[in-house]
Amino acid sequence: LYTVFDKTLLGVMLDMSSVSYYEYANRIICVPKTLLGVITTVLFPRVCRLTESDNSKALKKIFDTSFYFTSLIGSGFTFIIIGVSRVFAPLYYGTDFEMAGDVMIVMAPVILVVSLGDLIRTQLMISKHRDGQYILCVVINAVVNIVLSISFIRIIGIYGAVIGSVMAELCGLVLETWFCRKDIKIKSTYLEALPFLLIGVISIIPMVMIEQSMGISFMVFLLQAFLGGLTYFGLCMVYMYKFRHNYFNLIVKNIKHV
């Protein structure tokens, strides 16, 4: 919905080249968003059954685990895309679309925000028939997106539309969390995601260093993605082994069953 608004506003207020940069960046961002959406889709029927049977203990366990791993994977996708975007965009779309890489950097946080929002909507709102609150969130998000995009496009161009979308999604996440505040412990839940954000920032460093020292090429992109992913998920595994051993054991158990 917000993408349609943004592209329309960019076409009216700027030019079609801005629409192209936005569209090409959004196509890449949609890939990890779709992959993360599989988590909520797969778990939704089970959550509905547990909701109908009023099994609050099992529901809490599923939500906590889903939130944790969505934060882990979503943060990884977000920061790896931030790290490789300026090399990836000209390689994939051509040198005329280098700006799409910069747009991807600003747009990347949507991956994590949307994924967490989808999780809350499916497991805590839709499954519990909170349709009124859900619709209210959608309407408020749309209004926020239009107002912020129009305001920011006039100041910073295409980046204004992207920031408007990110802020609208973040606004929606905050509202959804507030509506579900009786079902989750807000502070402790979101603090679980903080280490992944810090590790994500660290993982950007080797990717940026590689770009600055080696330029733009397909091999550089592969090296960036490999080292960035290795740094991120390696540090995450170390963190979980030290402080969240239950989740570490869960990952190891599932890897052994593959």
Side-chain angles (χ1 to χ4, degrees), residues 16-25 27 85-104 158:
M16 291 308 297
S17 62
S18 297
V19 177
S20 299
Y21 297 141
Y22 184 99
E23 172 64 17
Y24 289 148
R27 287 180 184 179
S85 59
R86 285 179 175 163
V87 173
F88 175 80
L91 286 175
Y92 190 73
Y93 290 123
T95 55
D96 291 338
F97 293 94
E98 287 185 359
M99 183 176 284
D102 295 325
V103 175
M104 285 167 58
I158 186 174

Side-chain angles (χ1 to χ4, degrees), residues 121-166:
R121 283 192 295 273
T122 55
Q123 293 196 13
L124 300 180
M125 297 184 77
I126 297 176
S127 65
K128 296 185 177 182
H129 309 293
R130 295 174 173 174
D131 298 337
Q133 294 176 343
Y134 172 67
I135 293 172
L136 179 61
C137 288
V138 173
V139 172
I140 292 176
N141 291 2
V143 172
V144 169
N145 181 64
I146 293 173
V147 172
L148 291 182
S149 293
I150 292 175
S151 302
F152 289 149
I153 287 173
R154 292 172 179 171
I155 302 172
I156 52 178
I158 186 174
Y159 301 107
V162 180
I163 292 173
S165 290
V166 174

Side-chain angles (χ1 to χ4, degrees), residues 169-196:
E169 294 287 2
L170 187 59
C171 174
L173 179 60
V174 171
L175 281 174
E176 289 155 3
T177 302
W178 177 252
F179 284 139
C180 300
R181 63 191 181 277
K182 294 182 179 179
D183 300 301
I184 59 175
K185 296 179 180 179
I186 297 176
K187 184 177 180 180
S188 59
T189 298
Y190 280 95
L191 281 177
E192 291 283 11
L194 183 59
F196 302 133

Side-chain angles (χ1 to χ4, degrees), residues 231-256:
T231 301
Y232 177 79
F233 288 106
L235 290 176
C236 285
M237 290 299 287
V238 171
Y239 165 75
M240 286 187 285
Y241 179 78
K242 291 288 186 180
F243 302 104
R244 295 293 182 271
H245 212 69
N246 56 324
Y247 291 123
F248 177 85
N249 289 336
L250 183 60
I251 292 174
V252 173
K253 179 181 178 181
N254 281 277
I255 290 174
K256 288 180 177 179

